Structures are given as C-alpha cells and as structure tokens.
Amino acid sequence: MAISNPVIRNLEITNCYSRLAAAFAERSGEGANWCTYATWASRQAGRSIRGEDLLEKLGRRFGEGGRLLHPIRSLWRRLLRRGLFQRETRIGRLTAELHTPFDAFERASGSVAQGNLKVFEEIGFEFARYLEEVPSDAGVDSPPFQRFLDRLRPGDPPDGQRYLREAFERYGRLQLELDPKARMELAVLANLAIGFHEQTRLQPQIREALDTAYATEKDLGRRALEALWPSAGRLWPVVRGAAAAVVGVVAAGAQRATSRLAREVITESLMVLSLPGRVLALSMHLGDAYPEALREPANEELIELLARFEPRPPAPDRCGARDWSDLHQRMHYILHLFCAFHLRAELSRPPFTPEQVASIGRGIVPDGEL
C-alpha cells in the first residue's frame, strides 16, 4: 500500500534500505554494498523532507546551546505530525500557499521526496527482487540469475538499466571470488555502477531542488487568507479585500525577512552527508585513505572508471564538488566516498532504534535523532 505522507515514507524507505543492506551483506561478505550508502543518503534526504535543515542552520548561527533551539525542535516535530507539508491539512495548505521560507522549503522538500521515492522504487525493488529470486549459491550463468538479469532494461539511463545489470553481474562474481583484493574491486565497481545510474536519473530532481523558484508576491494576501479559511472567497469583496490586505502585509514581511536564509539552507542541505560519527561537507575534499587493496587497482574496468572521473596528473585530485548539480563533480566525490569508506563497519549499523522503527510502522514521526 502506497504511503502518502512523504515524511513517513522516507523513514520507511531508509529503514528498508538498512534491512536490504544487511540481507545483501550476508551474501557479499565484508564491505559496503550500494544499499549501505543508500541508507544514510536516504536518512540525510529525510532531514530536507522534514525541513529540519532550517533548525540546523539556526543552531549553527546561534550556537547549539541556544535556549530556544530545543523548544523549536519540539514544535517542529508537532507541526510535522499535524501535516506541515501535506496539502490536505489546513497547516499544509498554508505552507503551500504562503510564499515565505516555508514555500521554498516545501518545494525543495517535494523535489527531494520525489527523488527519494524514484530511486527506491527502482533500485530498492531490484535488490529485493534479487534476494527473492536468485538463490545465494546461484552463479552468474545459472538460470535464476539470468532470468533476473533479463528483466533489466537494456540501454543507458535514464530509461535503460545497463549499469544495474553490470552491477549485479559483478556482485554475483564476487560471491565466487576467493582473492580479497579482487573481491573488493568487484564490490566497489558494482556500487559505483549503481551510483552512476542513480545519479543520472536523479539529475532533474537535484537541479529542481537547488534551483527552487520563489513565486511572486502577487495576490499573496488573498492566497494566505484562503489557505487559512477556504470559505473566505464567499465574503463580501470589501471585507475580503481588507482582510487579505492585512494578512498580506504580515506574510510579505515574513517572506522578505527570511528569503536569504531559505536559499542558504536549501543549498547547504544538499551539500552535507551525515554518517555515523561523521558529517561530510560535500564541497570539501575527502582525504580519507583508501583501503590497501584499492590503492593500486588491478581490475581493468575499475582503472578505466577511475580515469573517467579523476583528473589527469599533474592536476590535483580534489574531489570536493563546487556545483552539486554537475553530474561529473558528484560522481568524482562519490567515487572517493565509495572507495575510502568501503570497509567502515559503522555504516552497517541500523539508522533507527527499535522504538523508532515501531513508531514509524504506526505512521507516527518518532522522537529523538532521525
């Protein structure tokens, strides 16, 4: 059954990625698989979907010890439970119609939520299908494995699934590979192939989120009035006009006072990745060392892929993305991330506590760190 609430849906997707990663690791062994990274990327997306990036920005601006921050966080969760970004609720209609920071956050939130669902519906489904249809001891040439591969569409993304087919073939090969270095190279190749497919298909949503447009202030008062009181359109024109003027002054003032903050938060939210014990700024070079087995690759396909996204010597290898809407810059950073963090055991931990998972299953936004 489809989940209409984008906040709950994201939390379910994040938890499902974690379960898929754990189930897949039972076959692939040591090291991260694509679902491992997807778990934490989806969790980070949830912060944008819930609009919590604004609170983090305020925390950095006023200091984490600010006495107002805790009650603001609590209020924000209450607003989310009441449907802050759901148009079928009164408060959701208000945030959709008022052109304030909430408008910009709601638009960016919608783009991120759309991308989160888009990737999960395709790639999450294929991981689940693989685990269901292909026995753990089936080789790449076995009938079950070939039937699985045959259902993947030929061609390049966004419509084709050639890179997904290549990825699962490599996952299948590494299960039978005994050499640790060869196994690690196959795993990273598979992860990167899915990463490239994913990032290519997400290009429209990433651009839309970064370029969130502000609607004009024209008729702002009328829209705000009708969002709060849908029956306001039936008021006498003189009464409706006066009420709209009053509401419009307040709403326009809020918009002007906070539009710059909104733009800053939307940009920064897509340039951060929170991992267990570490927050990565995607605009900064990721200097973590690669595992020994990946420092001098022997796999020709991996060497070719590295050459595709790494700068040619003597140019410095700085992977920080100046423009996250640029696919090549994103993949350069992701390549470093997937290589450097492949053996990080902490990435395999569940993103939520059992109590939070139970709350999510009931359709309730949990308390605590999400």
Side-chain angles (χ1 to χ4, degrees):
M1 181 177 179
I3 302 173
S4 60
N5 185 324
V7 173
I8 295 297
R9 185 176 64 220
N10 162 261
L11 294 170
E12 288 280 18
I13 287 173
T14 303
N15 185 52
C16 190
Y17 273 139
S18 176
R19 295 170 59 191
L20 286 171
F24 199 83
E26 293 182 4
R27 300 189 182 196
S28 60
E30 183 186 31
N33 55 68
W34 180 86
C35 287
T36 311
Y37 300 109
T39 300
W40 301 104
S42 180
R43 182 175 180 264
Q44 182 67 46
R47 305 184 80 86
S48 296
I49 293 169
R50 296 189 300 274
E52 292 179 353
D53 305 308
L54 173 61
L55 299 184
E56 293 183 356
K57 177 72 174 181
L58 291 174
R60 289 192 296 272
R61 177 164 294 186
F62 299 113
E64 289 296 332
R67 289 176 293 178
L68 289 177
L69 205 56
H70 178 71
I72 289 174
R73 284 199 185 101
S74 299
L75 174 61
W76 192 265
R77 288 285 172 90
R78 293 193 187 100
L79 292 174
L80 286 172
R81 293 183 184 118
R82 293 178 66 87
L84 182 62
F85 295 136
Q86 293 175 264
R87 290 176 179 263
E88 64 270 20
T89 66
R90 176 173 291 186
I91 190 173
R93 289 195 302 272
L94 178 62
T95 57
E97 294 294 338
L98 275 177
H99 295 295
T100 67
F102 288 124
D103 178 54
F105 293 134
E106 193 256 351
R107 289 165 183 256
S109 169
S111 298
V112 174
Q114 183 183 0
N116 185 234
L117 178 61
K118 179 179 182 177
V119 171
F120 180 73
E121 284 183 327
E122 182 191 24
I123 303 178
F125 172 77
E126 295 301 345
F127 268 90
R129 189 169 70 86
Y130 174 83
L131 292 169
E132 176 68 23
E133 297 179 4
V134 181
S136 59
D137 59 350
V140 176
D141 296 326
S142 67
F145 209 120
Q146 288 302 308
R147 283 195 297 269
F148 167 80
L149 295 176
D150 288 343
R151 287 181 58 185
L152 296 172
R153 297 185 301 275
D156 291 340
D159 299 319
Q161 295 177 310
R162 174 171 72 90
Y163 292 110
L164 296 188
R165 182 185 180 99
E166 292 177 0
F168 281 102
E169 286 177 338
R170 289 160 181 159
Y171 283 141
R173 285 162 51 195
L174 79 84
Q175 290 182 219
L176 302 177
E177 177 61 60
L178 298 179
D179 180 69
K181 177 178 175 62
R183 286 177 55 84
M184 191 178 302
E185 291 183 344
L186 284 170
V188 170
L189 262 173
N191 294 341
L192 286 169
I194 298 178
F196 183 70
H197 175 90
E198 167 207 19
Q199 292 300 316
T200 302
R201 295 198 73 232
L202 279 179
Q203 188 68 10
Q205 283 72 41
I206 291 172
R207 284 193 176 276
E208 183 179 4
L210 284 169
D211 298 334
T212 300
Y214 289 88
T216 67
E217 295 182 11
K218 183 179 179 182
D219 292 332
L220 177 58
R222 176 187 58 79
R223 290 193 300 270
L225 183 65
E226 292 181 359
L228 286 169
W229 297 284
S231 61
R234 296 195 294 271
L235 294 174
W236 290 346
V238 64
V239 176
R240 183 174 67 244
V246 172
V247 175
V249 169
V250 176
Q255 183 186 37
R256 286 192 300 270
T258 52
S259 60
R260 178 176 297 180
L261 176 62
R263 286 194 296 271
E264 290 176 2
V265 171
I266 291 167
T267 302
E268 289 184 13
S269 69
L270 297 180
M271 296 295 289
V272 170
L273 178 61
S274 297
L275 300 175
R278 183 90 173 267
V279 178
L280 303 179
L282 308 185
S283 61
M284 302 295 291
H285 176 63
L286 186 64
D288 295 59
Y290 289 4
E292 182 66 34
L294 296 176
R295 293 176 189 173
E296 295 291 338
N299 186 297
E300 291 297 328
E301 292 177 306
L302 182 57
I303 294 172
E304 181 181 346
L305 186 64
L306 291 172
R308 179 175 180 179
F309 294 108
E310 297 278 31
R312 295 182 179 180
D317 183 11
R318 308 292 296 179
C319 71
R322 299 181 306 277
D323 179 5
W324 196 245
S325 68
D326 185 291
L327 176 61
H328 189 277
Q329 291 187 34
R330 290 203 307 277
M331 283 305 303
H332 187 197
Y333 188 93
I334 289 169
L335 186 153
H336 277 251
L337 175 67
F338 282 13
C339 288
F341 281 68
H342 183 69
L343 296 179
R344 299 292 181 91
E346 64 270 22
L347 297 186
S348 299
R349 83 177 198 194
F352 307 124
T353 67
E355 293 77 17
Q356 288 176 324
V357 172
S359 179
I360 294 167
R362 296 193 300 270
I364 299 172
V365 180
D367 292 318
E369 184 70 23
L370 296 176

